Amino acid sequence: MTINRKLPDTSLEPSGEFAESIRSFRSAIHHMGDHAAAQDATSAWLAPARKRQKSAHRRMVLAWAAALGLLFGGALPLTLHLSHETPTHRNEVAKDQLKDNSSDTALLEQVDSAVSESVPDSLAPLAELDNWSSESKTENRQ
Amino acid sequence: MAQTESVLELADFDEVVRLYRPRIFRYLMASLADRDIAESLTQDCFLKAYNARHQFRGESSLSTWLTRIALNLVRDHLRSRRMRFWQKTRDTAVDVVDISDWIPDGASGPEAICLQQEKVREVWQAVEKLSRQQKNVFLLRFVEEMELSEIAESTGMNTSTVKSHLYRALRIVREHVGDAPKGEL
């Protein structure tokens, strides 16, 4: 909370030795300023200021150009990446998947045919053993 | 009438520079304590004034208008200096001013001159401790001897705020200078 107090104007005017110190301070500053101003301000006096102003303007333009360059430089790879997700590309991916499915089916059919083939002669004793085992289980159940 | 006079005054820009350059330089010098920067900003101040001379309507005096430009330049300079912290600090600046070297020659003896130099240096150091606003108000009041209303117009503050800043500035400077408080500010 701010309390507004009316400051007496007399409190804003120094007096005594303090006032003398401030007067000396003022004199010193004025003396310094007068010394600097004694140098003639010719038409060329403002030339360094004009040069600084132009440099500052050039720096600002370069900074904006760099910022825009970074912005577009970053946006371009992103745009290229997004172009891979077009409908044409998606159709091609679907076709590839279809091809894989058909090859899997062919493989399964191959396995089925291999399994349903007749037992070779070298493995015949094992097949007989398997048949005897299944017959004895059937008799036990009866 | 005064408005028209101000506008006409600006028409002769060489004369404007001749009249107001010492004042603007003094304020910048006292604010920044660096002669080289004060000179650069003085040039910038008058260049800005020259470029904006057609926009000056004479609603304030030319002095107030130029002071406002100088105040803004100081503010911008200090802001950019904070950003450029890797650059040389004020302590190593070549053109840092020893204000006591600029006391004008008077009739006083060497002892009085030494005492005066000491007091001036104390005031200078005390002013350096003030806040930006307090410093502006103090310098405009006691170095440029501007009226409070003119200071308010230059700084964009209202008169009560100017008084408040001035009161605090005087108190700080007085404490630093170490004058006796008996009935004095």
Side-chain angles (χ1 to χ4, degrees), chain A residues 9 11 13 18 24-26 28 30-32 36 39 45-46 52-53, chain B residues 21 25-26 29 39-40 43-44 102 116 141-143 145 163 179 185:
Chain A
D9 284 347
S11 67
E13 291 302 325
F18 183 52
S24 299
F25 174 73
R26 181 182 174 278
H30 273 253
H31 190 211
M32 193 167 44
Q39 301 155 29
W45 179 65
L46 285 177
R52 275 196 300 276
Q53 197 179 56
Chain B
R21 183 183 164 206
F25 176 79
R26 271 197 311 262
M29 182 66 248
E39 181 60 36
S40 298
Q43 292 166 0
D44 289 346
W102 291 95
Q116 199 180 17
R141 180 74 190 101
F142 293 114
V143 175
E145 295 185 319
K163 281 186 184 177
D179 277 335
L185 181 66

PDB file of all heavy atoms in Angstrom, chain A residues 9 11 13 18 24-26 28 30-32 36 39 45-46 52-53, chain B residues 21 25-26 29 39-40 43-44 102 116 141-143 145 163 179 185:
ATOM      1  N   ASP A   9       8.173  21.544  -0.118  1.00  0.00           N
ATOM      2  CA  ASP A   9       9.161  21.912  -1.131  1.00  0.00           C
ATOM      3  C   ASP A   9      10.489  22.308  -0.512  1.00  0.00           C
ATOM      4  O   ASP A   9      11.525  22.217  -1.149  1.00  0.00           O
ATOM      5  CB  ASP A   9       8.618  23.058  -1.997  1.00  0.00           C
ATOM      6  CG  ASP A   9       7.591  22.531  -2.988  1.00  0.00           C
ATOM      7  OD1 ASP A   9       7.517  21.297  -3.136  1.00  0.00           O
ATOM      8  OD2 ASP A   9       6.869  23.336  -3.598  1.00  0.00           O
ATOM      9  N   SER A  11      12.041  20.720   1.677  1.00  0.00           N
ATOM     10  CA  SER A  11      12.855  19.533   1.872  1.00  0.00           C
ATOM     11  C   SER A  11      13.589  19.160   0.592  1.00  0.00           C
ATOM     12  O   SER A  11      14.455  18.301   0.610  1.00  0.00           O
ATOM     13  CB  SER A  11      11.968  18.361   2.320  1.00  0.00           C
ATOM     14  OG  SER A  11      11.113  18.006   1.267  1.00  0.00           O
ATOM     15  N   GLU A  13      15.243  21.400  -1.256  1.00  0.00           N
ATOM     16  CA  GLU A  13      16.297  22.380  -1.508  1.00  0.00           C
ATOM     17  C   GLU A  13      17.390  22.208  -0.470  1.00  0.00           C
ATOM     18  O   GLU A  13      17.179  22.461   0.715  1.00  0.00           O
ATOM     19  CB  GLU A  13      15.703  23.809  -1.428  1.00  0.00           C
ATOM     20  CG  GLU A  13      14.758  24.156  -2.571  1.00  0.00           C
ATOM     21  CD  GLU A  13      15.418  24.043  -3.940  1.00  0.00           C
ATOM     22  OE1 GLU A  13      16.619  24.358  -4.054  1.00  0.00           O
ATOM     23  OE2 GLU A  13      14.736  23.608  -4.886  1.00  0.00           O
ATOM     24  N   PHE A  18      26.116  21.334   2.500  1.00  0.00           N
ATOM     25  CA  PHE A  18      25.632  20.357   1.525  1.00  0.00           C
ATOM     26  C   PHE A  18      25.296  21.048   0.211  1.00  0.00           C
ATOM     27  O   PHE A  18      25.660  20.579  -0.881  1.00  0.00           O
ATOM     28  CB  PHE A  18      24.424  19.602   2.088  1.00  0.00           C
ATOM     29  CG  PHE A  18      23.903  18.528   1.173  1.00  0.00           C
ATOM     30  CD1 PHE A  18      24.731  17.559   0.655  1.00  0.00           C
ATOM     31  CD2 PHE A  18      22.554  18.505   0.824  1.00  0.00           C
ATOM     32  CE1 PHE A  18      24.243  16.572  -0.197  1.00  0.00           C
ATOM     33  CE2 PHE A  18      22.062  17.510  -0.015  1.00  0.00           C
ATOM     34  CZ  PHE A  18      22.913  16.551  -0.527  1.00  0.00           C
ATOM     35  N   SER A  24      29.440  22.968  -6.165  1.00  0.00           N
ATOM     36  CA  SER A  24      30.783  22.655  -6.692  1.00  0.00           C
ATOM     37  C   SER A  24      30.689  21.534  -7.718  1.00  0.00           C
ATOM     38  O   SER A  24      31.365  21.559  -8.756  1.00  0.00           O
ATOM     39  CB  SER A  24      31.736  22.237  -5.569  1.00  0.00           C
ATOM     40  OG  SER A  24      31.896  23.281  -4.625  1.00  0.00           O
ATOM     41  N   PHE A  25      29.868  20.553  -7.397  1.00  0.00           N
ATOM     42  CA  PHE A  25      29.640  19.428  -8.311  1.00  0.00           C
ATOM     43  C   PHE A  25      29.079  19.939  -9.633  1.00  0.00           C
ATOM     44  O   PHE A  25      29.546  19.565 -10.715  1.00  0.00           O
ATOM     45  CB  PHE A  25      28.677  18.433  -7.639  1.00  0.00           C
ATOM     46  CG  PHE A  25      28.244  17.287  -8.505  1.00  0.00           C
ATOM     47  CD1 PHE A  25      29.119  16.260  -8.809  1.00  0.00           C
ATOM     48  CD2 PHE A  25      26.956  17.223  -8.996  1.00  0.00           C
ATOM     49  CE1 PHE A  25      28.723  15.191  -9.600  1.00  0.00           C
ATOM     50  CE2 PHE A  25      26.547  16.152  -9.785  1.00  0.00           C
ATOM     51  CZ  PHE A  25      27.427  15.136 -10.087  1.00  0.00           C
ATOM     52  N   ARG A  26      28.122  20.820  -9.535  1.00  0.00           N
ATOM     53  CA  ARG A  26      27.507  21.394 -10.732  1.00  0.00           C
ATOM     54  C   ARG A  26      28.535  22.170 -11.557  1.00  0.00           C
ATOM     55  O   ARG A  26      28.604  22.036 -12.771  1.00  0.00           O
ATOM     56  CB  ARG A  26      26.350  22.304 -10.325  1.00  0.00           C
ATOM     57  CG  ARG A  26      25.631  22.919 -11.506  1.00  0.00           C
ATOM     58  CD  ARG A  26      24.509  23.853 -11.084  1.00  0.00           C
ATOM     59  NE  ARG A  26      23.958  24.517 -12.251  1.00  0.00           N
ATOM     60  CZ  ARG A  26      24.485  25.600 -12.821  1.00  0.00           C
ATOM     61  NH1 ARG A  26      25.569  26.158 -12.326  1.00  0.00           N
ATOM     62  NH2 ARG A  26      23.917  26.119 -13.887  1.00  0.00           N
ATOM     63  N   ALA A  28      31.736  21.742 -11.682  1.00  0.00           N
ATOM     64  CA  ALA A  28      32.690  20.824 -12.320  1.00  0.00           C
ATOM     65  C   ALA A  28      32.090  20.212 -13.581  1.00  0.00           C
ATOM     66  O   ALA A  28      32.735  20.140 -14.634  1.00  0.00           O
ATOM     67  CB  ALA A  28      33.104  19.731 -11.335  1.00  0.00           C
ATOM     68  N   HIS A  30      29.657  21.400 -15.418  1.00  0.00           N
ATOM     69  CA  HIS A  30      29.495  22.451 -16.434  1.00  0.00           C
ATOM     70  C   HIS A  30      30.827  22.781 -17.097  1.00  0.00           C
ATOM     71  O   HIS A  30      30.894  22.981 -18.318  1.00  0.00           O
ATOM     72  CB  HIS A  30      28.897  23.709 -15.797  1.00  0.00           C
ATOM     73  CG  HIS A  30      27.407  23.694 -15.778  1.00  0.00           C
ATOM     74  ND1 HIS A  30      26.630  24.478 -16.600  1.00  0.00           N
ATOM     75  CD2 HIS A  30      26.551  22.947 -15.057  1.00  0.00           C
ATOM     76  CE1 HIS A  30      25.356  24.233 -16.375  1.00  0.00           C
ATOM     77  NE2 HIS A  30      25.269  23.302 -15.429  1.00  0.00           N
ATOM     78  N   HIS A  31      31.869  22.824 -16.295  1.00  0.00           N
ATOM     79  CA  HIS A  31      33.186  23.137 -16.839  1.00  0.00           C
ATOM     80  C   HIS A  31      33.608  22.075 -17.845  1.00  0.00           C
ATOM     81  O   HIS A  31      34.133  22.375 -18.927  1.00  0.00           O
ATOM     82  CB  HIS A  31      34.195  23.231 -15.682  1.00  0.00           C
ATOM     83  CG  HIS A  31      35.511  23.785 -16.110  1.00  0.00           C
ATOM     84  ND1 HIS A  31      36.697  23.405 -15.506  1.00  0.00           N
ATOM     85  CD2 HIS A  31      35.843  24.668 -17.063  1.00  0.00           C
ATOM     86  CE1 HIS A  31      37.697  24.043 -16.083  1.00  0.00           C
ATOM     87  NE2 HIS A  31      37.207  24.827 -17.024  1.00  0.00           N
ATOM     88  N   MET A  32      33.340  20.837 -17.494  1.00  0.00           N
ATOM     89  CA  MET A  32      33.677  19.718 -18.366  1.00  0.00           C
ATOM     90  C   MET A  32      32.859  19.785 -19.658  1.00  0.00           C
ATOM     91  O   MET A  32      33.390  19.579 -20.751  1.00  0.00           O
ATOM     92  CB  MET A  32      33.361  18.419 -17.614  1.00  0.00           C
ATOM     93  CG  MET A  32      33.936  17.196 -18.237  1.00  0.00           C
ATOM     94  SD  MET A  32      33.849  15.790 -17.129  1.00  0.00           S
ATOM     95  CE  MET A  32      32.222  15.900 -16.477  1.00  0.00           C
ATOM     96  N   ALA A  36      34.162  20.398 -23.653  1.00  0.00           N
ATOM     97  CA  ALA A  36      33.851  19.503 -24.774  1.00  0.00           C
ATOM     98  C   ALA A  36      33.155  20.263 -25.886  1.00  0.00           C
ATOM     99  O   ALA A  36      33.408  20.047 -27.063  1.00  0.00           O
ATOM    100  CB  ALA A  36      32.977  18.348 -24.304  1.00  0.00           C
ATOM    101  N   GLN A  39      34.842  22.453 -28.863  1.00  0.00           N
ATOM    102  CA  GLN A  39      35.217  21.923 -30.178  1.00  0.00           C
ATOM    103  C   GLN A  39      34.056  22.182 -31.127  1.00  0.00           C
ATOM    104  O   GLN A  39      32.920  21.867 -30.825  1.00  0.00           O
ATOM    105  CB  GLN A  39      35.461  20.408 -30.085  1.00  0.00           C
ATOM    106  CG  GLN A  39      36.547  20.033 -29.106  1.00  0.00           C
ATOM    107  CD  GLN A  39      36.364  18.618 -28.592  1.00  0.00           C
ATOM    108  OE1 GLN A  39      35.815  17.752 -29.284  1.00  0.00           O
ATOM    109  NE2 GLN A  39      36.812  18.362 -27.392  1.00  0.00           N
ATOM    110  N   TRP A  45      30.472  16.458 -37.871  1.00  0.00           N
ATOM    111  CA  TRP A  45      30.365  16.015 -36.483  1.00  0.00           C
ATOM    112  C   TRP A  45      29.384  14.863 -36.335  1.00  0.00           C
ATOM    113  O   TRP A  45      29.589  13.971 -35.534  1.00  0.00           O
ATOM    114  CB  TRP A  45      29.930  17.212 -35.628  1.00  0.00           C
ATOM    115  CG  TRP A  45      29.771  16.877 -34.183  1.00  0.00           C
ATOM    116  CD1 TRP A  45      30.757  16.491 -33.326  1.00  0.00           C
ATOM    117  CD2 TRP A  45      28.561  16.872 -33.442  1.00  0.00           C
ATOM    118  NE1 TRP A  45      30.231  16.258 -32.074  1.00  0.00           N
ATOM    119  CE2 TRP A  45      28.894  16.494 -32.119  1.00  0.00           C
ATOM    120  CE3 TRP A  45      27.229  17.173 -33.743  1.00  0.00           C
ATOM    121  CZ2 TRP A  45      27.941  16.382 -31.110  1.00  0.00           C
ATOM    122  CZ3 TRP A  45      26.282  17.078 -32.743  1.00  0.00           C
ATOM    123  CH2 TRP A  45      26.647  16.679 -31.442  1.00  0.00           C
ATOM    124  N   LEU A  46      28.311  14.887 -37.135  1.00  0.00           N
ATOM    125  CA  LEU A  46      27.304  13.833 -37.032  1.00  0.00           C
ATOM    126  C   LEU A  46      27.647  12.600 -37.877  1.00  0.00           C
ATOM    127  O   LEU A  46      26.920  11.611 -37.824  1.00  0.00           O
ATOM    128  CB  LEU A  46      25.933  14.364 -37.458  1.00  0.00           C
ATOM    129  CG  LEU A  46      25.225  15.278 -36.446  1.00  0.00           C
ATOM    130  CD1 LEU A  46      23.909  15.778 -37.024  1.00  0.00           C
ATOM    131  CD2 LEU A  46      24.974  14.551 -35.132  1.00  0.00           C
ATOM    132  N   ARG A  52      27.120   4.751 -37.438  1.00  0.00           N
ATOM    133  CA  ARG A  52      26.647   3.796 -36.428  1.00  0.00           C
ATOM    134  C   ARG A  52      25.208   3.392 -36.707  1.00  0.00           C
ATOM    135  O   ARG A  52      24.846   2.229 -36.557  1.00  0.00           O
ATOM    136  CB  ARG A  52      26.730   4.423 -35.026  1.00  0.00           C
ATOM    137  CG  ARG A  52      28.066   4.295 -34.356  1.00  0.00           C
ATOM    138  CD  ARG A  52      27.932   4.590 -32.874  1.00  0.00           C
ATOM    139  NE  ARG A  52      27.447   5.930 -32.619  1.00  0.00           N
ATOM    140  CZ  ARG A  52      28.212   7.014 -32.589  1.00  0.00           C
ATOM    141  NH1 ARG A  52      29.503   6.921 -32.806  1.00  0.00           N
ATOM    142  NH2 ARG A  52      27.697   8.210 -32.336  1.00  0.00           N
ATOM    143  N   GLN A  53      24.417   4.355 -37.115  1.00  0.00           N
ATOM    144  CA  GLN A  53      23.005   4.085 -37.395  1.00  0.00           C
ATOM    145  C   GLN A  53      22.878   3.106 -38.563  1.00  0.00           C
ATOM    146  O   GLN A  53      22.091   2.166 -38.522  1.00  0.00           O
ATOM    147  CB  GLN A  53      22.291   5.396 -37.729  1.00  0.00           C
ATOM    148  CG  GLN A  53      20.783   5.316 -37.627  1.00  0.00           C
ATOM    149  CD  GLN A  53      20.134   6.650 -37.952  1.00  0.00           C
ATOM    150  OE1 GLN A  53      20.357   7.191 -39.023  1.00  0.00           O
ATOM    151  NE2 GLN A  53      19.349   7.163 -37.031  1.00  0.00           N
TER     152      GLN A  53
ATOM    153  N   ARG B  21      24.014  21.472 -27.433  1.00  0.00           N
ATOM    154  CA  ARG B  21      25.013  20.409 -27.334  1.00  0.00           C
ATOM    155  C   ARG B  21      25.698  20.352 -25.954  1.00  0.00           C
ATOM    156  O   ARG B  21      25.828  19.261 -25.381  1.00  0.00           O
ATOM    157  CB  ARG B  21      26.044  20.582 -28.445  1.00  0.00           C
ATOM    158  CG  ARG B  21      27.092  19.486 -28.486  1.00  0.00           C
ATOM    159  CD  ARG B  21      28.096  19.779 -29.569  1.00  0.00           C
ATOM    160  NE  ARG B  21      29.287  18.974 -29.385  1.00  0.00           N
ATOM    161  CZ  ARG B  21      30.480  19.310 -29.824  1.00  0.00           C
ATOM    162  NH1 ARG B  21      30.668  20.442 -30.482  1.00  0.00           N
ATOM    163  NH2 ARG B  21      31.515  18.516 -29.635  1.00  0.00           N
ATOM    164  N   PHE B  25      25.422  17.028 -23.637  1.00  0.00           N
ATOM    165  CA  PHE B  25      26.664  16.333 -23.328  1.00  0.00           C
ATOM    166  C   PHE B  25      26.871  16.262 -21.802  1.00  0.00           C
ATOM    167  O   PHE B  25      27.253  15.226 -21.266  1.00  0.00           O
ATOM    168  CB  PHE B  25      27.854  17.031 -23.978  1.00  0.00           C
ATOM    169  CG  PHE B  25      29.182  16.418 -23.612  1.00  0.00           C
ATOM    170  CD1 PHE B  25      29.612  15.266 -24.230  1.00  0.00           C
ATOM    171  CD2 PHE B  25      29.977  16.984 -22.619  1.00  0.00           C
ATOM    172  CE1 PHE B  25      30.820  14.682 -23.880  1.00  0.00           C
ATOM    173  CE2 PHE B  25      31.184  16.402 -22.263  1.00  0.00           C
ATOM    174  CZ  PHE B  25      31.607  15.248 -22.894  1.00  0.00           C
ATOM    175  N   ARG B  26      26.599  17.367 -21.128  1.00  0.00           N
ATOM    176  CA  ARG B  26      26.752  17.405 -19.668  1.00  0.00           C
ATOM    177  C   ARG B  26      25.903  16.339 -18.996  1.00  0.00           C
ATOM    178  O   ARG B  26      26.372  15.605 -18.127  1.00  0.00           O
ATOM    179  CB  ARG B  26      26.300  18.770 -19.132  1.00  0.00           C
ATOM    180  CG  ARG B  26      27.329  19.814 -19.061  1.00  0.00           C
ATOM    181  CD  ARG B  26      26.882  20.924 -18.150  1.00  0.00           C
ATOM    182  NE  ARG B  26      25.554  21.416 -18.397  1.00  0.00           N
ATOM    183  CZ  ARG B  26      25.258  22.506 -19.114  1.00  0.00           C
ATOM    184  NH1 ARG B  26      26.227  23.188 -19.698  1.00  0.00           N
ATOM    185  NH2 ARG B  26      24.010  22.906 -19.250  1.00  0.00           N
ATOM    186  N   MET B  29      27.282  12.910 -19.832  1.00  0.00           N
ATOM    187  CA  MET B  29      28.552  12.721 -19.143  1.00  0.00           C
ATOM    188  C   MET B  29      28.316  12.393 -17.665  1.00  0.00           C
ATOM    189  O   MET B  29      28.900  11.486 -17.102  1.00  0.00           O
ATOM    190  CB  MET B  29      29.335  14.026 -19.298  1.00  0.00           C
ATOM    191  CG  MET B  29      30.706  14.050 -18.711  1.00  0.00           C
ATOM    192  SD  MET B  29      31.805  12.934 -19.549  1.00  0.00           S
ATOM    193  CE  MET B  29      32.006  11.792 -18.240  1.00  0.00           C
ATOM    194  N   GLU B  39      30.039  11.399 -25.677  1.00  0.00           N
ATOM    195  CA  GLU B  39      30.180  12.079 -26.968  1.00  0.00           C
ATOM    196  C   GLU B  39      29.409  11.340 -28.061  1.00  0.00           C
ATOM    197  O   GLU B  39      28.700  11.955 -28.863  1.00  0.00           O
ATOM    198  CB  GLU B  39      31.670  12.176 -27.320  1.00  0.00           C
ATOM    199  CG  GLU B  39      31.974  12.892 -28.622  1.00  0.00           C
ATOM    200  CD  GLU B  39      31.499  14.335 -28.658  1.00  0.00           C
ATOM    201  OE1 GLU B  39      31.551  15.015 -27.609  1.00  0.00           O
ATOM    202  OE2 GLU B  39      31.052  14.778 -29.731  1.00  0.00           O
ATOM    203  N   SER B  40      29.530  10.010 -28.075  1.00  0.00           N
ATOM    204  CA  SER B  40      28.800   9.209 -29.076  1.00  0.00           C
ATOM    205  C   SER B  40      27.295   9.380 -28.930  1.00  0.00           C
ATOM    206  O   SER B  40      26.579   9.574 -29.908  1.00  0.00           O
ATOM    207  CB  SER B  40      29.134   7.721 -28.931  1.00  0.00           C
ATOM    208  OG  SER B  40      30.495   7.495 -29.167  1.00  0.00           O
ATOM    209  N   GLN B  43      26.047  12.729 -30.155  1.00  0.00           N
ATOM    210  CA  GLN B  43      25.872  12.718 -31.616  1.00  0.00           C
ATOM    211  C   GLN B  43      24.582  11.994 -31.990  1.00  0.00           C
ATOM    212  O   GLN B  43      23.798  12.461 -32.828  1.00  0.00           O
ATOM    213  CB  GLN B  43      27.052  12.014 -32.282  1.00  0.00           C
ATOM    214  CG  GLN B  43      28.361  12.758 -32.187  1.00  0.00           C
ATOM    215  CD  GLN B  43      29.545  11.883 -32.562  1.00  0.00           C
ATOM    216  OE1 GLN B  43      29.392  10.706 -32.899  1.00  0.00           O
ATOM    217  NE2 GLN B  43      30.733  12.444 -32.496  1.00  0.00           N
ATOM    218  N   ASP B  44      24.356  10.830 -31.349  1.00  0.00           N
ATOM    219  CA  ASP B  44      23.148  10.046 -31.640  1.00  0.00           C
ATOM    220  C   ASP B  44      21.893  10.846 -31.315  1.00  0.00           C
ATOM    221  O   ASP B  44      20.902  10.781 -32.039  1.00  0.00           O
ATOM    222  CB  ASP B  44      23.149   8.743 -30.823  1.00  0.00           C
ATOM    223  CG  ASP B  44      24.191   7.752 -31.301  1.00  0.00           C
ATOM    224  OD1 ASP B  44      24.734   7.948 -32.404  1.00  0.00           O
ATOM    225  OD2 ASP B  44      24.480   6.786 -30.565  1.00  0.00           O
ATOM    226  N   TRP B 102      37.877  18.749 -12.815  1.00  0.00           N
ATOM    227  CA  TRP B 102      37.172  19.757 -13.597  1.00  0.00           C
ATOM    228  C   TRP B 102      36.616  20.906 -12.764  1.00  0.00           C
ATOM    229  O   TRP B 102      35.785  21.674 -13.248  1.00  0.00           O
ATOM    230  CB  TRP B 102      36.049  19.085 -14.402  1.00  0.00           C
ATOM    231  CG  TRP B 102      36.617  18.219 -15.473  1.00  0.00           C
ATOM    232  CD1 TRP B 102      36.844  16.888 -15.409  1.00  0.00           C
ATOM    233  CD2 TRP B 102      37.063  18.647 -16.759  1.00  0.00           C
ATOM    234  NE1 TRP B 102      37.404  16.446 -16.583  1.00  0.00           N
ATOM    235  CE2 TRP B 102      37.548  17.503 -17.431  1.00  0.00           C
ATOM    236  CE3 TRP B 102      37.108  19.881 -17.420  1.00  0.00           C
ATOM    237  CZ2 TRP B 102      38.068  17.551 -18.719  1.00  0.00           C
ATOM    238  CZ3 TRP B 102      37.618  19.929 -18.716  1.00  0.00           C
ATOM    239  CH2 TRP B 102      38.100  18.768 -19.350  1.00  0.00           C
ATOM    240  N   GLN B 116      37.432  21.185  -1.659  1.00  0.00           N
ATOM    241  CA  GLN B 116      36.371  21.250  -2.662  1.00  0.00           C
ATOM    242  C   GLN B 116      36.408  20.000  -3.564  1.00  0.00           C
ATOM    243  O   GLN B 116      35.359  19.413  -3.860  1.00  0.00           O
ATOM    244  CB  GLN B 116      36.564  22.509  -3.512  1.00  0.00           C
ATOM    245  CG  GLN B 116      35.325  22.936  -4.269  1.00  0.00           C
ATOM    246  CD  GLN B 116      35.573  24.194  -5.098  1.00  0.00           C
ATOM    247  OE1 GLN B 116      36.704  24.582  -5.356  1.00  0.00           O
ATOM    248  NE2 GLN B 116      34.503  24.819  -5.526  1.00  0.00           N
ATOM    249  N   ARG B 141      17.769  18.283 -11.964  1.00  0.00           N
ATOM    250  CA  ARG B 141      17.423  19.362 -11.034  1.00  0.00           C
ATOM    251  C   ARG B 141      18.650  20.184 -10.648  1.00  0.00           C
ATOM    252  O   ARG B 141      18.612  21.419 -10.677  1.00  0.00           O
ATOM    253  CB  ARG B 141      16.776  18.746  -9.787  1.00  0.00           C
ATOM    254  CG  ARG B 141      16.362  19.772  -8.747  1.00  0.00           C
ATOM    255  CD  ARG B 141      15.122  20.530  -9.170  1.00  0.00           C
ATOM    256  NE  ARG B 141      14.893  21.649  -8.269  1.00  0.00           N
ATOM    257  CZ  ARG B 141      15.203  22.924  -8.543  1.00  0.00           C
ATOM    258  NH1 ARG B 141      15.740  23.234  -9.720  1.00  0.00           N
ATOM    259  NH2 ARG B 141      14.976  23.869  -7.669  1.00  0.00           N
ATOM    260  N   PHE B 142      19.719  19.514 -10.274  1.00  0.00           N
ATOM    261  CA  PHE B 142      20.840  20.256  -9.673  1.00  0.00           C
ATOM    262  C   PHE B 142      21.995  20.538 -10.627  1.00  0.00           C
ATOM    263  O   PHE B 142      22.827  21.370 -10.328  1.00  0.00           O
ATOM    264  CB  PHE B 142      21.357  19.511  -8.439  1.00  0.00           C
ATOM    265  CG  PHE B 142      20.364  19.491  -7.334  1.00  0.00           C
ATOM    266  CD1 PHE B 142      19.787  18.301  -6.936  1.00  0.00           C
ATOM    267  CD2 PHE B 142      19.966  20.669  -6.720  1.00  0.00           C
ATOM    268  CE1 PHE B 142      18.837  18.286  -5.930  1.00  0.00           C
ATOM    269  CE2 PHE B 142      19.019  20.672  -5.715  1.00  0.00           C
ATOM    270  CZ  PHE B 142      18.450  19.470  -5.316  1.00  0.00           C
ATOM    271  N   VAL B 143      22.054  19.845 -11.751  1.00  0.00           N
ATOM    272  CA  VAL B 143      23.088  20.166 -12.729  1.00  0.00           C
ATOM    273  C   VAL B 143      22.496  21.034 -13.839  1.00  0.00           C
ATOM    274  O   VAL B 143      23.067  22.040 -14.220  1.00  0.00           O
ATOM    275  CB  VAL B 143      23.719  18.882 -13.320  1.00  0.00           C
ATOM    276  CG1 VAL B 143      24.709  19.219 -14.425  1.00  0.00           C
ATOM    277  CG2 VAL B 143      24.414  18.084 -12.232  1.00  0.00           C
ATOM    278  N   GLU B 145      19.440  22.430 -13.587  1.00  0.00           N
ATOM    279  CA  GLU B 145      18.567  23.427 -12.948  1.00  0.00           C
ATOM    280  C   GLU B 145      17.210  23.526 -13.645  1.00  0.00           C
ATOM    281  O   GLU B 145      16.681  24.621 -13.866  1.00  0.00           O
ATOM    282  CB  GLU B 145      19.274  24.789 -12.913  1.00  0.00           C
ATOM    283  CG  GLU B 145      20.509  24.740 -12.028  1.00  0.00           C
ATOM    284  CD  GLU B 145      21.192  26.072 -11.857  1.00  0.00           C
ATOM    285  OE1 GLU B 145      21.296  26.818 -12.854  1.00  0.00           O
ATOM    286  OE2 GLU B 145      21.622  26.366 -10.731  1.00  0.00           O
ATOM    287  N   LYS B 163       9.151  14.520  -7.260  1.00  0.00           N
ATOM    288  CA  LYS B 163       9.496  15.023  -5.913  1.00  0.00           C
ATOM    289  C   LYS B 163       9.961  13.878  -5.021  1.00  0.00           C
ATOM    290  O   LYS B 163      10.930  14.020  -4.263  1.00  0.00           O
ATOM    291  CB  LYS B 163       8.278  15.688  -5.284  1.00  0.00           C
ATOM    292  CG  LYS B 163       8.000  17.084  -5.774  1.00  0.00           C
ATOM    293  CD  LYS B 163       6.859  17.686  -4.964  1.00  0.00           C
ATOM    294  CE  LYS B 163       6.488  19.042  -5.495  1.00  0.00           C
ATOM    295  NZ  LYS B 163       5.333  19.617  -4.777  1.00  0.00           N
ATOM    296  N   ASP B 179      27.327  15.358   5.640  1.00  0.00           N
ATOM    297  CA  ASP B 179      27.112  16.655   6.268  1.00  0.00           C
ATOM    298  C   ASP B 179      26.337  16.487   7.549  1.00  0.00           C
ATOM    299  O   ASP B 179      25.530  15.574   7.682  1.00  0.00           O
ATOM    300  CB  ASP B 179      26.357  17.580   5.308  1.00  0.00           C
ATOM    301  CG  ASP B 179      27.317  18.235   4.343  1.00  0.00           C
ATOM    302  OD1 ASP B 179      28.499  18.358   4.721  1.00  0.00           O
ATOM    303  OD2 ASP B 179      26.911  18.605   3.246  1.00  0.00           O
ATOM    304  N   LEU B 185      19.067  19.549   5.284  1.00  0.00           N
ATOM    305  CA  LEU B 185      18.691  18.345   4.521  1.00  0.00           C
ATOM    306  C   LEU B 185      19.949  17.547   4.177  1.00  0.00           C
ATOM    307  O   LEU B 185      20.850  18.068   3.574  1.00  0.00           O
ATOM    308  CB  LEU B 185      17.924  18.706   3.255  1.00  0.00           C
ATOM    309  CG  LEU B 185      17.484  17.486   2.454  1.00  0.00           C
ATOM    310  CD1 LEU B 185      16.466  16.667   3.190  1.00  0.00           C
ATOM    311  CD2 LEU B 185      16.929  17.880   1.110  1.00  0.00           C
TER     312      LEU B 185
END
